[in-house]
Amino acid sequence: MELEKKTLGEPILKVVHLKKWFGGKSSLFSSKKEYIKAVDDVSFELNAGETLGVVGESGCGKSTMGRSVLRLIEPTAGEITFEGKDLMKLGGKELRKVRSKMQIIFQDPYASLNPRMTIGEVIAEPLEIQLHLSKEEIRNQVLKTMETVGLNTKYYNRYPHEFSGGQRQRIGIARAIVLQPDIIVCDEPVSALDVSIQAQVINLLRELQKKMGMAYLFISHDLSVIKHISDRIIVMYLGHIVETATKEDLYSRPLHPYTTALLSAIPIPDRKAKREKIILEGDLPSPADPPSGCVFHTRCYRAQPICSEKKPEFKDYGNGHCCACHFCNCENEEEKAE
Ligand code: SF4
């Protein structure tokens, strides 16, 4: 397989005001339609060859966002531009063609593989759908891809149930890279695996990125995993982006109270070192009835009266470090929002 190296740094995906709302039914007691706002006004860019981590508690909308970007689920509103093409305007053949460049790795390596297909068939399927190749060419491509992800080619005719979780995730990765995509949405790709296997899969993803130059939108609830793999990070809460920054900035200088609380919960390897753990009270509110003003105000340890009244602006505090908070941890007092 010819592995093409891409230029790093140019935006290949632009997402503007993306929304994914579910429902729209009237309730028993009111004629007003109710929506579950899983993703509500999310904008970001993904650069070629980078890993953009997306982190947040389970239920914050990160997986829905990842799938909406690929149009695996239809967004409610927003713009998605991939390599200059408006994805929202594409359909049928054109969308299928673009999709060959945008792949996904799913969380559950057990559920994401068809148990009735051999490994060879699973990996060959995208090639058969997208390219007009002979059977022999497809077989060769599959065998090369199996080698690339560290799968023994003698397993070509075996079935998914014969493999361990880590190997199954390698099969999922092989299927995702066989068309040499530009973007892969990695949706919690290691959270179903043992910790020792997690490191192997993460290292494999990093090696593949170095060789093939694709960008990852890497979704995880695990801040240690996100720190290990990401170049930049988005923090999501209740369908909104509350902070985004480079990995270095986010971990050394979190601005949003929610990010600060998440980071305070990461275990420190040095037992003598102390860090105050911030416990967030209560559960994630329902996206069907999000809080007014700042969506985090019902759990925020720094909330003030204004927080429930006025939605904070998503402001850039330098170096692309953006945060949506009236009272963020900005070192410079003058930079604090009024
Ligand atoms: Fe907390 Fe207020 Fe900032 Fe929201 S705007 S994160 S409630 S301090």
Side-chain angles (χ1 to χ4, degrees), residues 12-293:
I12 48 167
L13 177 76
K14 286 186 188 177
V15 175
V16 182
H17 302 309
L18 181 72
K19 291 183 183 178
K20 178 61 197 175
W21 294 3
F22 295 97
K25 290 180 188 156
S26 317
S27 77
L28 264 181
F29 309 105
S30 154
S31 58
K32 203 178 151 201
K33 289 189 173 172
E34 285 183 353
Y35 292 94
I36 295 170
K37 297 176 180 177
V39 177
D40 201 15
D41 202 0
V42 159
S43 302
F44 66 90
E45 288 186 355
L46 176 66
N47 299 319
E50 80 166 341
T51 299
L52 179 60
V54 184
V55 72
E57 286 163 290
S58 140
C60 71
K62 51 194 189 308
S63 290
T64 306
M65 188 263 275
R67 285 162 201 224
S68 303
V69 163
L70 299 183
R71 283 192 58 196
L72 292 179
I73 49 177
E74 220 33 72
T76 308
E79 290 167 27
I80 305 167
T81 313
F82 170 67
E83 291 181 338
K85 288 192 189 83
D86 183 350
L87 231 63
M88 297 293 279
K89 291 198 178 128
L90 301 183
K93 249 188 190 174
E94 278 180 318
L95 181 61
R96 247 199 330 272
K97 204 171 157 201
V98 170
R99 280 240 185 88
S100 70
K101 294 286 174 192
M102 304 171 83
Q103 296 289 314
I104 185 164
I105 300 168
F106 293 100
Q107 170 180 2
D108 188 348
Y110 297 89
S112 61
L113 302 173
N114 185 336
R116 281 191 287 269
M117 289 170 87
T118 65
I119 301 318
E121 288 167 344
V122 166
I123 302 169
E125 199 177 35
L127 292 169
E128 286 165 355
I129 295 169
Q130 294 284 352
L131 305 176
H132 301 289
L133 299 175
S134 68
K135 279 196 170 164
E136 203 189 332
E137 284 171 322
I138 288 179
R139 186 183 162 85
N140 287 340
Q141 198 90 300
V142 171
L143 290 172
K144 277 182 190 167
T145 309
M146 286 178 73
E147 279 173 4
T148 307
V149 300
L151 282 169
N152 195 321
T153 51
K154 72 181 181 192
Y155 298 146
Y156 186 90
N157 287 316
R158 298 253 184 109
Y159 287 88
H161 72 266
E162 298 175 63
F163 293 88
S164 66
Q167 282 173 314
R168 285 189 217 199
Q169 201 50 301
R170 282 178 196 267
I171 299 165
I173 293 170
R175 188 183 157 94
I177 65 162
V178 74
L179 289 169
Q180 301 182 42
D182 293 329
I183 292 176
I184 301 183
V185 172
C186 306
D187 187 5
E188 299 266 13
V190 295
S191 56
L193 306 175
D194 290 346
V195 175
S196 57
I197 310 294
Q198 284 187 5
Q200 291 175 17
V201 172
I202 296 277
N203 289 338
L204 171 64
L205 288 170
R206 291 178 70 156
E207 276 168 33
L208 292 172
Q209 189 179 49
K210 239 189 213 168
K211 258 194 226 171
M212 301 174 71
M214 70 283 241
Y216 294 141
L217 187 64
F218 194 98
I219 296 164
S220 177
H221 66 278
D222 185 331
L223 274 147
S224 308
V225 169
I226 284 283
K227 185 178 185 184
H228 194 65
I229 196 159
S230 307
D231 298 305
R232 288 187 304 127
I233 297 167
I234 283 173
V235 182
M236 279 189 78
Y237 184 82
L238 209 64
H240 295 74
I241 295 179
V242 295
E243 184 163 3
T244 179
T246 61
K247 169 172 69 180
E248 292 73 22
D249 281 350
L250 193 94
Y251 282 79
S252 64
R253 198 173 69 104
L255 296 183
H256 198 279
Y258 179 58
T259 314
T260 311
L262 289 181
L263 294 184
S264 80
I266 301 178
I268 313 174
D270 179 359
R271 283 189 192 174
K272 285 178 197 158
K274 282 193 178 169
R275 181 169 55 198
E276 196 193 339
K277 192 170 172 182
I278 301 164
I279 313 270
L280 292 178
E281 303 288 338
D283 294 327
L284 202 65
S286 165
D289 186 20
S292 58

